[in-house]
Amino acid sequence: MAFDFKKECKEYYMPKNKPAIVDVPAANYIAVSGKGNPNEKGGAYQQAISILYAVAYTLRMSYKTGYKINGFFEYVVPPLEGFWWQDGMDGVDYSNKSSFNWISVIRLPDFITKQDFEWAVTTASKKKRIDCSSAYFLTLNEGLCVQIMHLGSYDSEPETIAIMERYLLQNGYVKDSKGDRLHHEIYLSDPRKCAPEKLKTVIRLPVKRM
């Protein structure tokens, strides 16, 4: 049975639809950064997703090639994730998507090293005929966060975030967005195959105690 982060790390990937505090450990990711409206057809965000999956599946299928990764075991490619912010703002203004800064990521198993990652970028670029050079190896330690399972369209997220903010106020926490501590989303549904009202998205915000 292939290792599946969603099943093995349910605390971080399958929260309930009510806020909860979690302490998120460090993790490695394939990352591509950019700016602009994620809904732009053929835009930078959609190109970034293509690059992420090209590299992710090259690593996932590496055991069928001549390249061997130490400690490799079969796993399910984790879901797409994203870190979002807008310059000069605390929070996210969903009405101004063109001003989004984003880092799109796919998590890597711990046994994959930076050297393995670099092999995958070169290999994917050749085999998939797509320039993957914008992908980079990212390590993040999110630490203390509040998270929730958001059900519905991405544009309705402010309602869920308001619930999270009330929870923080009632329980002695405040948001702590600074540096690489960013608004984080994990996409558990494919918007191409799922009705907007049925989309499942983990929303995670960095926090600290008051």
Side-chain angles (χ1 to χ4, degrees), residues 39 50-51 83 126 141 158 174:
N39 298 324
S50 297
I51 292 168
F83 296 90
K126 291 177 180 176
N141 187 355
V174 292

Side-chain angles (χ1 to χ4, degrees), residues 3-17 22-30 75-83 105-110 140 142 147-151 184-189 200-204:
F3 182 92
D4 188 339
F5 282 97
K6 297 190 300 296
K7 294 178 180 178
E8 302 296 334
C9 306
K10 287 184 178 180
E11 180 182 3
Y12 307 116
Y13 286 91
M14 300 297 291
K16 299 184 184 301
N17 60 347
V22 289
D23 194 355
V24 185
N28 298 324
Y29 301 89
I30 309 164
Y75 62 96
V76 176
V77 171
L80 179 70
E81 308 183 36
F83 296 90
V105 303
I106 292 178
R107 186 172 176 178
L108 292 170
D110 291 343
L140 280 178
E142 289 188 83
Q147 67 178 17
I148 193 172
M149 182 71 78
H150 170 72
L151 303 175
H184 184 181
E185 299 182 359
I186 303 173
Y187 307 106
L188 302 178
S189 306
K200 291 184 177 181
T201 307
V202 180
I203 300 177
R204 186 181 294 164

Side-chain angles (χ1 to χ4, degrees), residues 120-159:
V121 168
T122 300
T123 303
S125 296
K126 291 177 180 176
K127 289 191 174 181
K128 306 290 185 181
R129 296 182 179 179
I130 175 175
D131 182 5
C132 297
S133 61
S134 59
Y136 58 97
F137 188 91
L138 176 67
T139 301
L140 280 178
N141 187 355
E142 289 188 83
L144 202 63
C145 296
V146 61
Q147 67 178 17
I148 193 172
M149 182 71 78
H150 170 72
L151 303 175
S153 73
Y154 304 131
D155 287 339
S156 67
E157 287 183 10
E159 300 163 21

Side-chain angles (χ1 to χ4, degrees), residues 64-111:
K64 293 190 174 182
T65 72
Y67 185 85
K68 301 304 177 187
I69 296 176
N70 290 334
F72 181 93
F73 53 78
E74 290 194 52
Y75 62 96
V76 176
V77 171
L80 179 70
E81 308 183 36
F83 296 90
W84 301 85
W85 74 100
Q86 288 158 306
D87 295 332
M89 280 196 61
D90 178 20
V92 178
D93 177 5
Y94 291 82
S95 67
N96 187 15
K97 295 183 175 67
S98 62
S99 68
F100 278 151
N101 298 287
W102 41 263
I103 306 172
S104 290
V105 303
I106 292 178
R107 186 172 176 178
L108 292 170
D110 291 343
F111 58 75

